[in-house]
Amino acid sequence: MLRKLFKKENGDTIVEVLIAMAILALVLGGAYYTANQSFRNDRDAQEHSEALTVAQAQVEALRTYVLTQGESFTANGDCIQNSGANLTPTGPCYMSGGSSTIYSGQSTCMSGDSVDYCYNVKITCPSGACPSSTYVDQTQTPSGIPLDSYKVSVTWPALGSGNDEVDLYYRVET
């Protein structure tokens, strides 16, 4: 009996330890992948939300400009800057994320900017001819976009690679 109590037991075999380590690596790898994807999806949603806010602000500025000026806005990649009580079309511009500051006359962020996101803003006429306040053509292009509309495009560098874009259309009504 005493002999059985003091019998030396063997430990785990190397195969068992390797299997346990492989299972642990799979679990930790899956948790890392899930957390990383969650972060990327969250950041992507935040970028899209901010870009949509920028585009909506530009559509509202465009609507106000067209209504107060009584004329069409000749869009050629410009954006509209609100300087006090005046709305003025500027050249190409960009906005930094989390800020309502418009940097006009440039189409890219400057290297010295300490911004999280950089949104390029452009207003164009998708039909090629900007609508006039005196005559509005209610027909549509072959792609289904009304001829009497403006397109506000906001683009930014995507998290992985390439660019992401949000487009809003503002249809002029008479």
Side-chain angles (χ1 to χ4, degrees):
M1 169 108 167
L2 222 52
R3 189 182 228 184
K4 286 187 178 183
L5 287 175
F6 294 108
K7 184 178 177 184
K8 192 174 185 180
E9 294 192 23
N10 293 335
D12 294 330
T13 65
I14 190 74
V15 173
E16 291 170 332
V17 171
L18 287 175
I19 290 172
M21 287 179 65
I23 291 171
L24 181 64
L26 284 173
V27 168
L28 290 177
Y32 173 77
Y33 177 79
T34 302
N36 191 32
Q37 282 299 108
S38 177
F39 170 75
R40 290 177 69 96
N41 291 341
D42 183 48
R43 178 147 178 197
D44 189 52
Q46 181 181 0
E47 289 174 353
H48 274 85
S49 177
E50 285 186 7
L52 187 58
T53 302
V54 168
Q56 288 172 336
Q58 284 293 297
V59 166
E60 186 60 30
L62 175 64
R63 185 185 74 77
T64 304
Y65 181 84
V66 170
L67 288 176
T68 58
Q69 300 297 322
E71 60 186 47
S72 66
F73 174 71
T74 306
N76 57 357
D78 293 347
C79 69
I80 297 177
Q81 185 169 7
N82 187 355
S83 54
N86 298 329
L87 294 170
T88 54
T90 64
C93 69
Y94 72 90
M95 296 181 77
S96 59
S99 167
S100 60
T101 306
I102 296 176
Y103 300 94
S104 59
Q106 299 162 259
S107 58
T108 59
C109 289
M110 296 184 294
S111 60
D113 290 344
S114 58
V115 296
D116 292 334
Y117 312 107
C118 175
Y119 299 105
N120 293 319
V121 183
K122 293 180 183 172
I123 301 174
T124 57
C125 299
S127 65
C130 292
S132 169
S133 61
T134 57
Y135 172 72
V136 178
D137 187 358
Q138 297 293 330
T139 60
Q140 295 185 352
T141 62
S143 63
I145 299 168
L147 290 174
D148 56 342
S149 64
Y150 292 97
K151 177 182 176 184
V152 177
S153 297
V154 179
T155 58
W156 67 97
L159 187 58
S161 63
N163 288 327
D164 243 340
E165 183 174 17
V166 168
D167 294 329
L168 287 182
Y169 293 90
Y170 169 61
R171 186 172 183 178
V172 177
E173 295 182 13
T174 56

